Amino acid sequence: MTPARTTQRRILYTGLTALVVGQCLLVAAADRPAWGVLAIAPGMALVMLAWQHHRLAEPAIGPPVRQPRSAWRFAWLALSAALALWLTFRLTESTAGFGLFLPTGDAPLAFLGRPPGHTEQAACWLLSMALFVLGCAGLPALPAGWTPRIDRGLALRLAALFALALALRLVNLEDGVPVLFVDEAAFAAQARDIATGISDDLPIFAPGHYSHPLVFAWAVSPFVTLLGPTRAAARLLPALAGALTVPAVYWLAAELVARRRVALAAALFLAVYPVHIHFSRMALNNAVDPLFGTLAFAALLRGLRRGRAGWFALAGVMLGLSQHFYAAARALPLLALILLAALLVRQPRALRATWRGLAAALAGFVIATLPMHVYLFAHRLPLTSRVMQSFDQITFLHLTASDILSTKLVPAALGYVHTPDGFYFYGGETPLLLFLPAVLFLLGMAHLLVNWRTTPGFLLLTGLALPTAASAFLIEVPGFARLVLATPLIAIVAALGVDRLADAARTHGARRTGVLAAALLAAVAVGNVTYYFGAHLPAFEAAFSERQRWMQAIGARARTLPHATNAVFLGDRAMTAFMTWSYRYYNGDGDVIWAHDAPQHILPKLEDEPAAFVVFFIEDYKGAVQPLIAARPDGELAVLPTPPEVRPVYMFYVPAQPDAGDS
């Protein structure tokens, strides 16, 4: 071995040792992260010095491929545009030119009648996107006797990874988290309302819970119809989306770095990643937009490489679909623009030659988002409502620049390797990455920092920086729910760390470096899965607040009551509206009243109520409910089962009178 290579090896191993020591210090001295950072910073610098000549390949931009003109392609594109515009017109019911620029909302066309139903809306929307992609791509002319060429080994590996990911996300889905956790209840209740036709008058593109589009609830509703109002039914769509993101991240990694083992390692890492598993097992929309975002950038990179308009169109449609779920996806169009701007600087001629493909991507994005944007515009609603609801403007108005750096930006950045979740949706006492994955992630980051000028390095670094910086400006820093969007990129970065470490071992004379990479990935997989199901889930349930315990008890009781039993909730601030959503999901479309402030106006009316009803209340309202209990001897008073440390919740249930149906 030459002296230069020996020196390089020593620098690398010294840097790796510093990273390991720094990560140990971050774990051991959690209240003093500066010690760990002081060890990690020089470690990163040494690793970057050792790898300064290891460059990531720059994805080439291929020449555009002109599709032959076809009447069928033109017909598909025209029909796609017609469906999108017709749906927009029906949603606004306006005479003002499809409601695009002059939304009145006051002059519905009489011959159109009511807005289209949810099935009609979804069919038009999905069909318009599919026809647009088909029109841009065209049908390939296949020779006689053509058979697809399939790499069976790769297909089997991806199928195994998908099966692993799906199994980890489906196992004990009903009772893994034994309550519809906070926002889960709202999304589930909206899904049941859509499934039962209660909210037929509200378009699926309208804002729903906390301004999130109703598309997610609409997509969950078929599972509720098929499986009934269970927790598993509400959580099945995110589980499927999370599992599908695993082969999607393989595709993105393969397009970025053009190395199969890196792509497979990234897919395995994401399949067993605790944060991604957790949010894929919740009835939340956080795990859905990473799927479409990953597909969007993979298709965009392939379109740039192959020059075919169909891939660009698919990228635009996938990017548009991502906008209908969690608000963090609002950063994806900005990331795409930044990527294209960087490519324009590096490869201006090649990128300008693809203008038709980029126009197809823009048109696909418009078609996918047009109904939502027009609905918001027609009703004068902002696009960023959810973001503004979470913006920590009070803190930023009173903090200095140094305080913002120390209390917001630094904790957000350290969330990857040190700071635990600032919110309760993931909770726990660990950062985004456990010990070994964190070290591999830091190695991958060092490799990217050396390659920041390349397209893969720039895209991955920017893709991690955007959601991290954006989350710092919101409440509860770091909020892991907002960083689920970055989990595919985290997986790719960690996979690059594994790959570079294996390559370094081969360069320095080690044998069977594939075994080293496999051992590292196996250790990551076993450690992550053991931690999540063995430690995190029990700790997550043990940390349930009083509100979650009440929701658990009320939800269990709601299942046993007759369908559509009317309900009244009496409690303090801990008994929030989430209780009513949980009850609605389990019990149906009865009237639900949240009467904390004015029980005296509600309870006397129930003394002669012929229909079945139930009152849930805490100890403070026992006196207010006592006259009702005395007036209705046919009722049943019970205490719902809760842990001893939780204030008890009472239930007073009165069945329907025999003649209630005639009254």
Side-chain angles (χ1 to χ4, degrees):
M1 184 177 295
T2 63
R5 186 167 293 181
T6 301
T7 302
Q8 183 186 32
R9 180 181 61 180
R10 291 174 178 172
I11 292 174
L12 174 62
Y13 290 164
T14 303
L16 179 60
T17 302
L19 292 181
V20 172
V21 171
Q23 194 60 36
C24 289
L25 290 173
L26 288 178
V27 174
D31 57 335
R32 295 187 301 275
W35 293 105
V37 173
L38 288 175
I40 287 175
M44 292 278 288
L46 290 173
V47 173
M48 291 170 61
L49 180 63
W51 287 345
Q52 60 181 317
H53 300 299
H54 296 273
R55 297 293 179 182
L56 288 170
E58 183 73 26
I61 299 179
V65 177
R66 297 292 298 272
Q67 294 277 29
R69 293 189 177 185
S70 166
W72 283 109
R73 290 182 59 223
F74 177 79
W76 290 331
L77 291 173
L79 183 57
S80 170
L83 285 172
L85 293 175
W86 181 82
L87 175 59
T88 302
F89 189 57
R90 291 293 306 274
L91 289 177
T92 56
E93 289 192 0
S94 171
T95 58
F98 303 106
L100 285 173
F101 301 106
L102 298 172
T104 62
D106 301 323
L109 299 182
F111 69 89
L112 287 177
R114 60 182 296 176
H118 291 156
T119 302
E120 185 181 352
Q121 294 174 41
C124 289
W125 182 49
L126 297 175
L127 187 58
S128 67
M129 292 185 289
L131 287 174
F132 177 77
V133 174
L134 187 60
C136 290
L139 293 177
L142 303 178
W146 177 86
T147 56
R149 298 174 59 184
I150 300 176
D151 187 333
R152 294 185 178 180
L154 176 60
L156 287 175
R157 290 184 179 93
L158 288 178
L161 288 172
F162 174 74
L164 172 64
L166 189 62
L168 293 176
R169 285 152 179 79
L170 290 182
V171 61
N172 197 23
L173 191 61
E174 174 73 18
D175 296 319
V177 177
V179 63
L180 286 175
F181 192 78
V182 193
D183 289 343
E184 281 191 296
F187 287 124
Q190 289 176 345
R192 180 162 186 175
D193 287 349
I194 293 173
T196 56
I198 294 177
S199 58
D200 278 350
D201 292 335
L202 195 61
I204 62 175
F205 308 101
H209 171 63
Y210 275 133
S211 302
H212 292 291
L214 281 174
V215 169
F216 176 72
W218 165 79
V220 170
S221 62
F223 299 103
V224 177
T225 302
L226 291 174
L227 303 177
T230 63
R231 289 187 290 270
R235 294 167 176 169
L236 196 53
L237 175 67
L240 293 173
L244 287 170
T245 311
V246 170
V249 82
Y250 169 85
W251 183 21
L252 176 59
E255 294 291 339
L256 268 177
V257 298
R259 302 188 70 173
R260 178 178 293 186
R261 73 179 189 185
V262 175
L264 287 171
L268 175 59
F269 189 95
L270 188 67
V272 299
Y273 188 15
V275 174
H276 193 264
I277 293 175
H278 182 80
F279 285 98
S280 298
R281 292 169 55 85
M282 305 282 280
L284 303 172
N285 56 4
N286 304 66
V288 182
D289 47 282
L291 169 62
F292 294 114
T294 303
L295 292 173
F297 281 91
L300 177 62
L301 290 170
R302 177 161 293 192
L304 290 169
R305 181 163 57 88
R306 295 192 176 182
R308 293 189 175 273
W311 292 115
F312 285 102
L314 180 63
V317 167
M318 292 296 107
L319 189 62
L321 282 172
S322 71
Q323 304 302 294
H324 292 82
F325 298 96
Y326 190 62
R330 298 291 189 271
L332 292 178
L334 177 59
L335 179 60
L337 290 175
I338 293 174
L339 172 63
L340 293 175
L343 287 173
L344 184 62
V345 172
R346 296 189 182 99
Q347 305 180 54
R349 286 188 179 181
L351 188 65
R352 284 198 295 266
T354 64
W355 68 269
R356 288 185 176 87
L358 296 177
L362 178 60
F365 180 80
V366 170
I367 286 177
T369 58
L370 185 65
M372 176 182 69
H373 288 157
V374 168
Y375 184 89
L376 293 176
F377 183 73
H379 292 81
R380 295 172 174 82
L381 298 172
L383 178 63
T384 56
S385 296
R386 182 63 189 125
V387 177
M388 297 310 297
Q389 289 166 357
S390 299
F391 177 57
D392 196 2
Q393 57 181 340
I394 297 178
T395 300
F396 278 90
L397 288 175
H398 294 86
L399 290 182
T400 63
S402 61
D403 291 335
I404 291 175
L405 179 66
S406 61
T407 62
K408 290 288 187 179
L409 295 175
V410 170
L414 287 178
Y416 290 91
V417 295
H418 169 264
T419 312
D421 187 16
F423 226 167
Y424 44 67
F425 286 102
Y426 183 75
E429 299 298 328
T430 60
L432 277 167
L433 295 158
L434 301 181
F435 181 83
L436 179 57
V439 173
L440 297 174
F441 174 79
L442 291 173
L443 288 172
M445 287 295 291
H447 186 42
L448 291 179
L449 290 171
V450 171
N451 290 273
W452 70 271
R453 293 173 182 261
T454 65
T455 298
F458 183 80
L459 176 61
L460 290 170
L461 289 172
T462 309
L464 291 173
L466 271 181
T468 304
S471 68
F473 287 86
L474 306 179
I475 59 174
E476 310 296 346
V477 178
F480 289 1
R482 304 174 190 120
L483 296 175
V484 181
L485 183 68
T487 51
L489 302 185
I490 294 173
I492 296 175
V493 174
L496 282 171
V498 173
D499 181 68
R500 284 302 313 133
L501 198 58
D503 273 352
R506 178 168 55 248
T507 302
H508 299 146
R511 297 180 179 180
R512 298 184 181 274
T513 56
V515 176
L516 172 62
L520 287 172
L521 291 172
V524 168
V526 172
N528 280 355
V529 173
T530 302
Y531 163 75
Y532 181 72
F533 290 100
H536 186 83
L537 269 185
F540 185 75
E541 182 179 353
F544 278 179
S545 66
E546 184 177 60
R547 176 173 62 182
Q548 277 91 51
R549 295 298 183 186
W550 287 352
M551 289 180 68
Q552 185 177 4
I554 291 172
R557 195 66 178 91
R559 291 182 171 190
T560 66
L561 295 175
H563 175 72
T565 298
N566 300 326
V568 176
F569 289 82
L570 301 172
D572 54 20
R573 291 185 176 182
M575 185 175 280
T576 62
F578 293 104
M579 313 288 171
T580 67
W581 292 324
S582 179
Y583 182 85
R584 278 176 49 205
Y585 177 65
Y586 288 124
N587 192 261
D589 53 356
D591 293 332
V592 179
I593 300 175
W594 188 28
H596 298 2
D597 298 329
Q600 68 276 10
H601 299 307
I602 302 297
L603 297 181
K605 299 178 182 179
L606 298 177
E607 295 180 1
D608 300 320
E609 174 61 41
F613 68 87
V614 62
V615 180
F616 295 103
F617 59 97
I618 61 176
E619 187 76 31
D620 297 346
Y621 288 83
K622 204 169 184 179
V625 181
Q626 195 59 44
L628 176 62
I629 297 175
R632 298 301 298 263
D634 54 335
E636 169 198 354
L637 180 63
V639 181
L640 301 185
T642 54
E645 66 274 11
V646 174
R647 289 180 295 168
V649 174
Y650 298 88
M651 180 200 74
F652 182 62
Y653 168 66
V654 178
Q657 296 180 7
D659 58 346
D662 302 328
S663 59

